[in-house]
């Protein structure tokens, strides 16, 4: 069968076209922009009927929070979602690129995409770039073979796991999963477990914060994207205002000046057309 | 004449031993007109730890303190000494648990033991209290750090101070503080969220049983995800009734779910 795929297939070997350009720019004194990282907590578990993926929503650029409520759960296919840690742009674009290839693959084969196919494509691309693309993904989905969960690192290594965590909040979230995960959990238990794990990352890791997002994937493309599943850090409501009432400071004199721009020939001069002075009765302040 | 053939067949800056398997006296005697080899000399300062202990765990509970550490001394990545006791009883109200260089810990152990013996000899009814030990340890560690020759350790000092639980931390840089729950090392990064959560759910200090369960859970978590950890460990419990050190205890593992994993 003639496929349109070959055009989408990447060239074999390493493509480092931009490295020469970057080196040239650096040599000319250009400082590369600081990458926005997602200092992150992401985790996922396999439960009885499928997979639950969770992520926090803080994106950091150095020590500053770049985005308080970003989306780290990326759509790959109707039955596959990816949680991404590492460099924000790399995660976004890698998942988007592979997602488009998966759609073509799905149309080509006429079948639901298998998670292992998505994982293969991502890993082959990342390996090609030898880790320079800072994408650390947790990929989860349900296909004909059942629930699948993979963790993919930037250098192209993968692991098939029943539960995993990634990002700077890895250890905090992993402590929760290692303590409480068991095989064949119920959906609600799995959701609460992932929520607790992300919360551990949010409150104990400086690179993670704000809210918890969840995606629950079950068989037959049954996907629930729960954005803001747990708003763990709600901004405080201001209870009072500290502005002063008009008239707190006594006004003694008021001057109103009408000002016109001078005509073009003289350059931009401000010409005072008229002035009005008003003496105001000082208010009794006692 | 520098560099070239010197007395007794020296070549360049290196002096071959005078007899086979003889000493390398480049480090003992600096030859005249010769550049001394950088970093030579029997007097060296600590630059990196050699045999190390990994994470330590401790938390206060209602009526006392619990400390725990596994029994491994790692020689780099080799699990060299699997039977070390890193939890030390100082007296009936104080315990110390250490991570980091084992030699430095053993050195301080003997110093602390001697301190305690001196106290016992004085026989005046007073004993080394945990806050005092913590304070002394801070000074020792900070002084060494200021001489660029640190004792490469992290100490957790736990005990009963005037009827109240005390828990303090001192490290190789001289950083010191007291807290309700402390855990160091990689295991510590996993344990602190768990301990904090347990206290948050309880709404305060745990009781002894709960604290012991939490600490045991933390030791297990440390073992699961730390490459330099060991499944054997000691636990010390200090209450007003004294010190109890249990161990070595084993961590159990359940690997049933591994059967379901295929592929990568």
């Amino acid at each position: 069968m003639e496929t349109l795929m070959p055009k989408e297939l990447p060239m074999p070997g390493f493509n480092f076209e931009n490295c020469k350009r970057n080196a040239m720019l650096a040599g000319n004194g250009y400082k590369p922009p600081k990458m926005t990282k997602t200092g992150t907590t992401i985790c996922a578990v396999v439960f009885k009927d499928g997979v639950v993926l969770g992520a926090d929503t803080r994106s950091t650029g150095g020590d500053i929070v770049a985005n308080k409520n970003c989306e780290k759960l990326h759509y790959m296919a109707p039955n596959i979602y990816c949680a991404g840690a590492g460099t924000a742009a790399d995660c976004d674009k890698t998942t988007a690129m592979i997602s488009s290839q998966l759609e073509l693959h799905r149309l080509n084969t006429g079948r639901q995409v298998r998670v292992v196919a998505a994982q293969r494509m991502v890993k082959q691309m990342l390996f090609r770039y030898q880790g320079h693309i800072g994408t650390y993904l947790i990929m989860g989905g349900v296909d004909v073979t059942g629930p699948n969960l993979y963790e993919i690192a930037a250098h192209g290594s993968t692991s098939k796991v029943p539960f995993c965590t990634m990002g700077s909040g890895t250890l905090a979230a992993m402590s929760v999963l290692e303590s409480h995960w068991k095989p064949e959990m119920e959906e609600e238990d799995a959701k609460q477990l992932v929520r607790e794990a992300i919360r551990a990352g949010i409150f104990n890791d400086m690179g993670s914060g704000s809210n918890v997002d969840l995606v629950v994937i079950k068989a037959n493309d049954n996907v629930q994207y729960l954005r803001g599943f747990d708003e763990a850090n709600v901004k405080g409501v201001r209870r009072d205002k500290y502005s002063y009432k008009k008239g707190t400071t006594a006004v003694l004199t008021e001057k109103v000046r009408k000002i016109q721009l001078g005509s073009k020939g003289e350059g931009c001069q401000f010409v005072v057309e008229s002035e009005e002075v008003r003496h105001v009765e000082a208010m009794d302040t006692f | 004449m520098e560099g070239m053939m010197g007395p007794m067949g020296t070549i360049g800056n290196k002096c071959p031993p005078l007899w086979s398997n003889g000493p390398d006296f480049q480090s003992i005697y600096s030859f005249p007109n010769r550049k001394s080899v950088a970093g030579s000399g029997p007097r060296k300062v600590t630059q990196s730890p050699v045999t190390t202990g990994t994470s330590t765990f401790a938390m206060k509970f209602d009526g006392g303190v619990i400390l725990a550490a596994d029994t491994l001394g790692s020689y780099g990545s080799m699990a060299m000494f699997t039977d070390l006791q890193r939890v030390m009883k100082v007296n009936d109200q104080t315990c110390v648990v250490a991570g980091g260089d084992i030699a430095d810990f053993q050195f301080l152990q003997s110093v602390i033991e001697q301190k305690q013996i001196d106290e016992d000899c004085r026989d005046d009814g007073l004993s080394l209290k945990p806050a005092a030990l913590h304070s002394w340890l801070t000074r020792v560690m900070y002084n060494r750090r200021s001489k660029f020759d640190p004792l490469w350790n992290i100490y957790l000092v736990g005990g009963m101070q005037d009827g109240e639980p005390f828990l303090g931390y001192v490290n190789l840089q001289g950083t010191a503080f007291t807290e309700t729950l402390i855990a160091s090392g990689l295991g510590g990064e996993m344990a602190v969220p768990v301990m904090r959560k347990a206290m948050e759910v309880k709404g305060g200090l745990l009781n002894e049983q709960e604290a012991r369960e939490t600490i045991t859970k933390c030791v297990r978590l440390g073992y699961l995800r730390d490459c330099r950890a060991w499944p054997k460990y000691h636990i010390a419990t200090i209450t007003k009734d004294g010190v109890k050190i249990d161990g070595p205890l084993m961590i159990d593992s359940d690997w049933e779910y591994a059967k379901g994993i295929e592929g990568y």
Side-chain angles (χ1 to χ4, degrees):
Chain A
M1 183 174 79
E2 268 278 291
T3 68
L4 292 163
M5 287 298 278
K7 247 192 245 162
E8 306 301 325
L9 283 175
M11 284 294 292
F14 304 129
N15 180 0
F16 288 96
E17 280 168 7
N18 282 338
C19 287
K20 246 196 225 168
R21 177 206 71 174
N22 292 347
M24 189 267 295
L25 284 171
N28 287 347
Y30 172 70
K31 281 204 193 73
K34 211 175 353 173
M35 292 183 282
T36 305
K37 301 200 101 236
T38 49
T40 291
T41 306
I42 51 176
C43 75
V45 299
V46 170
F47 69 99
K48 201 171 72 174
D49 305 320
V51 174
V52 179
L53 294 125
D56 73 309
T57 59
R58 175 183 285 186
S59 149
T60 51
D63 287 334
I64 305 173
V65 176
N67 190 341
K68 286 185 286 191
N69 206 200
C70 70
E71 282 184 24
K72 299 188 191 179
L73 296 167
H74 309 285
Y75 166 90
M76 298 286 284
N79 60 324
I80 307 172
Y81 272 72
C82 245
T87 309
D90 289 342
C91 289
D92 285 345
K93 285 294 175 279
T94 304
T95 49
M97 279 166 23
I98 302 302
S99 173
S100 71
Q101 290 193 17
L102 287 177
E103 180 64 10
L104 292 171
H105 182 271
R106 189 182 71 81
L107 291 166
N108 245 307
T109 56
R111 294 182 174 92
Q112 192 191 46
V113 181
R114 295 198 186 191
V115 187
V116 72
Q119 175 245 41
R120 251 325 147 96
M121 290 186 191
V122 172
K123 123 155 98 168
Q124 285 175 348
M125 180 199 148
L126 291 180
F127 181 75
R128 232 171 353 113
Y129 285 93
Q130 288 291 288
H132 290 284
I133 298 186
T135 306
Y136 296 84
L137 300 175
I138 295 182
M139 184 183 286
V142 182
D143 54 31
V144 285
T145 61
N148 287 276
L149 189 57
Y150 293 93
E151 55 179 12
I152 306 166
H155 286 265
S157 62
T158 59
S159 257
K160 189 167 196 280
V161 281
F163 60 91
C164 57
T165 64
M166 272 191 152
S168 56
T170 272
L171 290 171
M174 186 52 86
S175 68
V176 175
L177 295 186
E178 284 282 16
S179 302
H180 301 296
W181 184 87
K182 41 190 205 299
E184 306 294 317
M185 287 174 76
E186 293 296 330
E187 180 179 337
E188 271 315 302
D189 294 336
K191 278 160 76 174
Q192 287 308 313
L193 181 62
V194 170
R195 171 180 166 265
E196 280 307 314
I198 301 292
R199 278 180 79 98
I202 284 174
F203 291 116
N204 293 293
D205 171 46
M206 307 256 71
S208 315
S210 300
N211 313 315
V212 180
D213 287 349
L214 280 195
V215 166
V216 184
I217 309 175
K218 297 200 286 239
N220 302 317
D221 295 352
N222 180 349
V223 170
Q224 254 189 312
Y225 189 102
L226 302 160
R227 174 108 170 109
F229 176 72
D230 181 7
E231 301 217 345
N233 290 290
V234 183
K235 193 172 174 181
V237 178
R238 202 174 293 190
R239 283 187 286 184
D240 211 341
K241 280 175 82 171
Y242 289 95
S243 53
Y244 291 96
K245 270 203 308 250
K246 198 171 180 181
T248 309
T249 307
V251 178
L252 299 178
T253 324
E254 221 180 73
K255 268 188 207 172
V256 179
R257 286 185 190 153
K258 201 163 174 198
I259 302 176
Q260 288 272 325
L261 271 180
S263 45
K264 279 198 185 132
E266 300 151 17
C268 257
Q269 272 182 17
F270 288 100
V271 178
V272 177
E273 218 179 64
S274 66
E275 190 171 303
E276 193 189 297
V277 178
R278 207 154 60 94
H279 290 281
V280 181
E281 278 281 322
M283 265 177 62
D284 273 339
T285 48
F286 37 73
Chain B
M1 205 165 36
E2 204 179 15
M4 287 301 146
M5 290 293 280
M8 291 195 235
T10 56
I11 300 158
N13 281 337
K14 278 254 16 96
C15 183
L18 292 179
W19 56 89
S20 57
N21 298 325
D24 162 35
F25 33 72
Q26 193 71 21
S27 56
I28 300 168
Y29 179 74
S30 52
F31 288 94
N33 302 326
R34 184 157 283 115
K35 288 195 286 262
S36 63
V37 177
S40 64
R43 174 114 174 69
K44 280 203 154 95
V45 294
T46 309
Q47 270 142 17
S48 57
V50 183
T51 306
T52 52
T54 181
S55 331
T56 54
F57 312 87
M59 73 189 295
K60 286 189 199 172
F61 61 89
D62 192 12
V65 190
I66 287 197
L67 310 162
D70 66 18
T71 61
L72 183 66
S74 310
Y75 191 68
S77 61
M78 176 186 171
M80 180 86 127
F81 306 106
T82 56
D83 268 310
L84 293 178
Q85 185 166 335
R86 295 197 282 130
V87 181
M88 171 200 179
K89 175 183 166 176
V90 179
N91 55 36
D92 282 327
Q93 22 166 249
T94 319
C95 263
V96 177
V97 65
D101 191 71
I102 297 298
D104 287 342
F105 172 52
Q106 286 176 342
F107 162 68
L108 266 190
Q109 238 182 338
S110 52
V111 174
I112 295 173
E113 262 168 28
Q114 190 54 53
K115 247 174 138 31
Q116 184 56 37
I117 289 171
D118 294 343
E119 293 274 344
D120 291 338
C121 286
R122 251 177 249 132
D123 199 20
D124 54 5
L126 296 170
S127 208
L128 201 56
K129 290 192 195 168
L133 182 66
H134 178 250
S135 185
W136 173 83
L137 210 46
T138 309
R139 297 272 55 79
V140 167
M141 301 294 274
Y142 186 73
N143 254 275
R144 290 292 298 252
R145 163 261 191 204
S146 304
K147 290 191 278 195
F148 286 94
D149 184 14
L151 290 163
W152 209 285
N153 289 118
I154 298 178
Y155 292 102
L156 301 186
V157 179
M160 296 303 283
Q161 175 80 14
D162 304 322
E164 289 299 315
F166 173 92
L167 179 57
Y169 167 106
V170 190
N171 75 2
L172 64 150
Q173 294 160 333
T175 311
F177 55 86
T178 57
E179 250 288 358
T180 318
L181 52 94
I182 309 177
S184 74
L186 207 81
E189 289 194 46
M190 298 195 63
V192 166
V194 170
M195 294 197 278
R196 280 186 185 155
K197 185 75 189 175
M199 287 192 59
E200 188 192 305
V201 165
K202 179 78 190 263
L205 289 175
L206 308 176
N207 65 36
E208 186 178 335
Q209 180 59 26
E210 290 165 338
R212 200 191 169 87
E213 273 166 20
T214 307
I215 288 279
T216 309
K217 201 158 60 151
C218 291
V219 179
R220 176 179 170 272
L221 286 174
Y223 167 61
L224 286 175
R225 292 279 163 176
D226 183 0
C227 293
R228 308 282 178 260
W230 198 248
K232 253 194 329 188
Y233 63 103
H234 285 100
I235 277 197
T237 316
I238 309 122
T239 55
K240 59 172 172 32
D241 302 322
V243 171
K244 196 166 54 102
I245 298 189
D246 296 317
L249 308 166
M250 275 296 278
I251 292 170
D252 56 338
S253 312
D254 177 22
W255 294 102
E256 270 306 303
Y257 75 87
K259 291 184 184 160
I261 300 175
E262 203 195 304
Y264 62 88

